[in-house]
Amino acid sequence: MTETLTPIADPATAPEDAAAPAFVLSPHTRIGKVVMLVNPLSGSVGSNAVREAEGILADYACETSVVALEAGQFDAQIQAALDAKPDVLFVLAGDGTAGTIASRAGPDGPLVAPLPGGTMNMLPRALYGTADWKAALKVALEEGAPQCVAGGEISDGHATHSFYCAAILGSPALWAPAREAIREGKLQLAWLYARRALRRSFSGRLRFSLDGKADKRAEALVLISPMISRVMEEHTGLEAAAMNPSDAAEAVRMAATAVFKDWRQDPAVTTRAIQRAQVRGRSRIPAVIDGEPVLLRHEASVKFIKKAFQALAPNPAAAEDSV
């Protein structure tokens, strides 16, 4: 009896085009079709991001399409991505663009994965715990599960702004760039931002009403989503914090508290959970909404959105930027 032996191939002579084994996709949800929108001009993205994203996605067994967003074509490209009905829509762009796309997807749209491609990256850091978009992309693909993200919506009668991390209304919103500069170790830049904030502080307090209660006054109103709040239970409401520094020295103390320890311990801060708020100022209201500076009209309304959109993120979310 003769046996036929199949020779073992020499790895050195194996075909160069032999497909490498794909990395394993998350077992927690179906990821069969992926669309990724990339803004190459966004803060920390870079001109090679499309090619790098295609290279990473090629290692996974799913249908993929990577689209570079073009100036003047954002709306059409976003709508085309939603119309393609992917299982997951990845977004590598700034905080504002990522928030806009998440809002348009809504709770019934595809899973959205906002990768860190902006300056502050509040939402991506909360979901993935990193400012490295490549690491966040791999974590989402390999460990992601559907996560319902709550948030808030601010309307001033002219425009509507959604947020999923935090919004600061009032002149202390100008402290946000200083805080970010300190986190990045740019102390001289932080000082310049702080001086500008001090000059514009105390120009007029806000009037606000929480859940229809009597009006109160504060230098600023901070609204924090349950996803990143350290004290709120999930999906129960926004944490509202009224800040009332009485002078510049107290404002400096509050700023230091916000950077270095739990700012809720500051005696000039009071907090509570809310569903709605009304805010009025003597003039236009400076704000920072999920890291993006905005100038609101002199009246604005805020409401809690229990199910804003579905994210693809590890369970539980990383929440690096909990506040």
Side-chain angles (χ1 to χ4, degrees), residues 287-298:
V288 173
I289 301 175
D290 273 0
E292 294 290 312
V294 176
L295 193 59
L296 301 170
R297 292 189 171 187
H298 71 284

Side-chain angles (χ1 to χ4, degrees), residues 30-93:
R30 169 181 165 77
I31 306 178
K33 184 176 183 180
V34 169
V35 173
M36 183 167 174
L37 299 178
V38 178
N39 183 3
L41 301 180
S42 190
S44 58
V45 175
S47 58
N48 295 325
V50 170
R51 187 179 72 252
E52 291 171 331
E54 289 174 338
I56 293 172
L57 290 169
D59 288 331
Y60 296 88
C62 56
E63 177 187 344
T64 63
S65 173
V66 181
V67 178
L69 293 172
E70 301 175 8
Q73 300 296 318
F74 276 31
D75 284 346
Q77 290 178 304
I78 292 169
Q79 190 57 53
L82 293 171
D83 290 343
K85 299 187 182 304
D87 296 308
V88 186
L89 177 55
F90 285 94
V91 183
L92 179 57

Side-chain angles (χ1 to χ4, degrees), residues 94-96 98-99 120-124 151-152 154 162-168 223 225 227-228 287-294 309:
D95 301 296
M120 296 186 75
N121 298 312
M122 292 184 70
L123 182 58
I154 301 175
S162 298
F163 65 95
Y164 308 105
C165 293
I168 307 171
L223 303 158
S225 77
M227 181 174 69
I228 69 166
V288 173
I289 301 175
D290 273 0
E292 294 290 312
V294 176
F309 74 96

Side-chain angles (χ1 to χ4, degrees), residues 203-270:
S203 58
R205 294 194 167 194
L206 298 176
R207 287 182 177 271
F208 66 92
S209 171
L210 304 178
D211 288 334
K213 304 295 184 182
D215 280 3
K216 295 184 179 181
R217 291 186 180 184
E219 185 67 24
L221 183 66
V222 182
L223 303 158
I224 305 168
S225 77
M227 181 174 69
I228 69 166
S229 171
R230 292 176 181 171
V231 300
M232 291 291 297
E233 294 184 4
E234 190 175 6
H235 305 313
T236 58
L238 298 170
E239 180 186 3
M243 295 186 171
N244 284 290
S246 60
D247 54 31
E250 194 168 54
V252 171
R253 188 201 72 229
M254 289 181 63
T257 300
V259 172
F260 296 113
K261 61 180 181 178
D262 188 354
W263 50 271
R264 294 175 185 83
Q265 298 175 5
D266 193 289
V269 176
T270 57

Side-chain angles (χ1 to χ4, degrees), residues 7-209:
I8 300 175
D10 184 349
T13 61
E16 293 183 2
D17 59 350
F23 289 97
V24 178
L25 289 165
S26 171
H28 305 302
T29 189
R30 169 181 165 77
I31 306 178
K33 184 176 183 180
V34 169
V35 173
M36 183 167 174
L37 299 178
V38 178
N39 183 3
L41 301 180
S42 190
S44 58
V45 175
S47 58
N48 295 325
V50 170
R51 187 179 72 252
E52 291 171 331
E54 289 174 338
I56 293 172
L57 290 169
D59 288 331
Y60 296 88
C62 56
E63 177 187 344
T64 63
S65 173
V66 181
V67 178
L69 293 172
E70 301 175 8
Q73 300 296 318
F74 276 31
D75 284 346
Q77 290 178 304
I78 292 169
Q79 190 57 53
L82 293 171
D83 290 343
K85 299 187 182 304
D87 296 308
V88 186
L89 177 55
F90 285 94
V91 183
L92 179 57
D95 301 296
T97 301
T100 296
I101 293 173
S103 298
R104 288 180 60 170
D108 300 321
L111 297 175
V112 177
L115 306 177
T119 303
M120 296 186 75
N121 298 312
M122 292 184 70
L123 182 58
R125 280 176 166 172
L127 290 171
Y128 307 113
T130 178
D132 182 341
W133 71 262
K134 298 173 189 176
L137 173 59
K138 293 175 182 178
V139 166
L141 287 168
E142 296 176 13
E143 303 176 26
Q147 306 290 334
C148 184
V149 177
E153 186 177 274
I154 301 175
S155 176
D156 64 0
H158 175 69
T160 298
H161 308 273
S162 298
F163 65 95
Y164 308 105
C165 293
I168 307 171
L169 280 62
S171 57
L174 301 169
W175 282 101
R179 181 176 185 267
E180 188 65 16
I182 290 174
R183 289 178 55 167
E184 295 176 357
K186 301 175 181 177
L187 299 183
Q188 184 175 3
L189 182 61
W191 172 243
L192 292 175
Y193 283 138
R195 289 180 61 188
R196 185 182 69 175
L198 280 173
R199 285 198 301 268
R200 292 192 58 182
S201 292
F202 318 111
S203 58
R205 294 194 167 194
L206 298 176
R207 287 182 177 271
F208 66 92
S209 171

